[in-house]
Amino acid sequence: MRKLLQILCCIGLCALPLEMIPASVSAETVGDGAEFIENVELLRGDSALNNGDSVAAADELVLRYTLKPLDESMNLPGSEWDIAIPEYLENNHPALNQEIKIDGQTIARITAGARKDQIKLTFEQELGELPIYEMKFEFGARLAMDEIDGRQEAAIGLVADHTVRLKITDNAIKDPAVAGKSGVYEKTGTIAWTVSLSKQIAPFDEDQNALQYTTGFLFCDELTDKQTYVENSLTLKVGDRETHPAVQVDGQTLRVTLDQPLSQEGFITYRTMPSSAVFVGDDGQLADPSQGMKVTNTAQLWQPDGFTKLSEAQGEVLVKGESWLMKTGES
């Protein structure tokens, strides 16, 4: 009867769920490794990053972890632990697989986690002599730009009492600009102009958790006096959205208030009609149309108040026609 009871007790213990196995029983464990973390440092090269430092998406960063003293009561052999990477950072090595050695013996290994914002710490079955009073490891990291989401600054919490606030170089506030202007002389006799606009890098509002783009930038185009604007031909395209803002014609100047923010690269297209006077040179002499004459426009972008010019660019098109026909004969 005693032997039967011993067998039944053994069977009952083996059937217990893993979480009910006593701590003294060695078994693989998967848990939150935050309880092991003593300190975390963020470096660029060999230098620690401090409040106010600027970092870029392309920078290769290093996260250095120091663990708390490890002893036998932690039941570490063969256990696995997920360790979260601080907010706004991510593992820079998807194939991370690195040994941690103490006095030449491999104690643990760090590998890439299931997500970019975590790694996995796995202890070996044989840990050598415990306790281990200081164990460190480090790996390459980078800014998690999708998570930063346009912020000019990111407060990165390394440990409970240590946060470092960094400036994000890629998100430095910047006004849009006229990036370029070009034109094509069409068979219809009109000139199709295209003005490219760079996007605005807008300030980030933490309260609204969103970028605060400006609407109402003023676009002006100075036409030469030998061409006229083709009515209803102007289109503004930002990303996939097209609009047709109102055009004010003041002499040879076009004025347009942009009716959508430049959250992406934008394009303004419109047409002008050159007059026959385009083939009359500045010296008053008639030029040969087959050789062509240059027509220029100057595009400008201004702040919504109309007092601060942000940038300008000039475009040029060669307008050609058929040669003048000359006929001579005897009287």
Side-chain angles (χ1 to χ4, degrees):
M1 177 64 72
R2 181 178 299 175
K3 181 176 292 187
L4 178 60
L5 288 173
Q6 289 175 342
I7 293 172
L8 290 174
C9 288
C10 180
I11 293 173
L13 179 60
C14 293
L16 283 174
L18 183 61
E19 62 270 19
M20 294 180 63
I21 297 177
S24 59
V25 178
S26 178
E28 289 193 355
T29 305
V30 178
D32 182 1
E35 62 184 271
F36 295 125
I37 306 303
E38 179 76 33
N39 189 38
V40 181
E41 300 170 87
L42 179 61
L43 305 94
R44 180 172 49 200
D46 295 326
S47 301
L49 290 170
N50 299 305
N51 286 329
D53 286 345
S54 297
V55 291
D59 287 347
E60 295 184 4
L61 309 178
V62 174
L63 276 169
R64 179 179 295 161
Y65 287 74
T66 301
L67 301 188
K68 296 176 181 177
L70 308 176
D71 59 42
E72 292 181 357
S73 67
M74 296 177 176
N75 193 31
L76 296 176
S79 62
E80 294 184 350
W81 304 88
D82 289 328
I83 295 181
I85 295 174
E87 189 178 17
Y88 304 130
L89 299 174
E90 63 186 24
N91 173 26
N92 197 26
H93 300 284
L96 177 66
N97 189 342
Q98 180 179 315
E99 292 181 335
I100 304 172
K101 293 187 176 184
I102 296 179
D103 296 330
Q105 180 180 351
T106 299
I107 300 299
R109 182 182 300 273
I110 55 170
T111 54
R115 306 190 309 265
K116 291 186 293 185
D117 63 350
Q118 67 177 203
I119 60 167
K120 187 177 291 294
L121 173 65
T122 305
F123 288 95
E124 297 292 310
Q125 289 289 351
E126 297 295 331
L127 300 183
E129 185 176 349
L130 294 175
I132 298 173
Y133 289 104
E134 186 174 275
M135 178 171 148
K136 292 186 177 184
F137 62 86
E138 62 184 49
F139 58 92
R142 65 188 173 199
L143 293 176
M145 295 303 291
D146 288 344
E147 190 177 356
I148 288 172
D149 191 27
R151 288 174 172 81
Q152 278 74 51
E153 291 188 349
I156 300 175
L158 298 176
V159 287
D161 59 349
H162 183 199
T163 296
V164 58
R165 182 174 290 275
L166 303 176
K167 296 178 181 179
I168 311 302
T169 303
D170 308 71
N171 295 341
I173 295 172
K174 187 177 181 180
D175 288 319
V178 178
K181 181 172 184 181
S182 61
V184 176
Y185 184 55
E186 302 175 311
K187 292 181 179 180
T188 57
T190 58
I191 302 173
W193 298 97
T194 300
V195 180
S196 58
L197 305 172
S198 64
K199 73 173 186 177
Q200 178 190 14
I201 302 180
F204 190 91
D205 189 315
E206 289 288 352
D207 292 334
Q208 299 187 31
N209 194 35
L211 291 163
Q212 301 300 299
Y213 288 103
T214 301
T215 300
F217 286 106
L218 179 64
F219 170 77
C220 297
D221 210 326
E222 302 290 341
L223 311 182
T224 59
D225 58 4
K226 297 174 183 179
Q227 58 182 316
T228 56
Y229 169 67
V230 176
E231 190 174 356
N232 298 323
S233 66
L234 189 139
T235 298
L236 168 63
K237 183 176 182 180
V238 180
D240 295 328
R241 185 187 176 201
E242 286 190 0
T243 54
H244 303 279
V247 179
Q248 177 186 348
V249 181
D250 182 8
Q252 293 303 112
T253 301
L254 307 182
R255 288 187 172 85
V256 181
T257 298
L258 304 189
D259 57 359
Q260 53 175 314
L262 291 168
S263 57
Q264 303 177 58
E265 184 180 16
F267 297 92
I268 293 175
T269 56
Y270 68 95
R271 287 177 168 79
T272 60
M273 175 68 73
S275 67
S276 57
V278 73
F279 296 112
V280 178
D282 294 336
D283 58 1
Q285 298 297 311
L286 195 62
D288 182 354
S290 65
Q291 299 301 309
M293 290 291 284
K294 292 180 179 179
V295 174
T296 60
N297 287 351
T298 301
Q300 303 171 344
L301 192 65
W302 296 69
Q303 287 283 13
D305 60 14
F307 294 108
T308 305
K309 182 167 68 175
L310 299 175
S311 62
E312 68 177 28
Q314 191 175 80
E316 183 178 273
V317 172
L318 188 65
V319 176
K320 287 187 176 183
E322 296 183 0
S323 297
W324 302 114
L325 297 177
M326 298 182 64
K327 183 175 181 180
T328 58
E330 296 180 359
S331 58

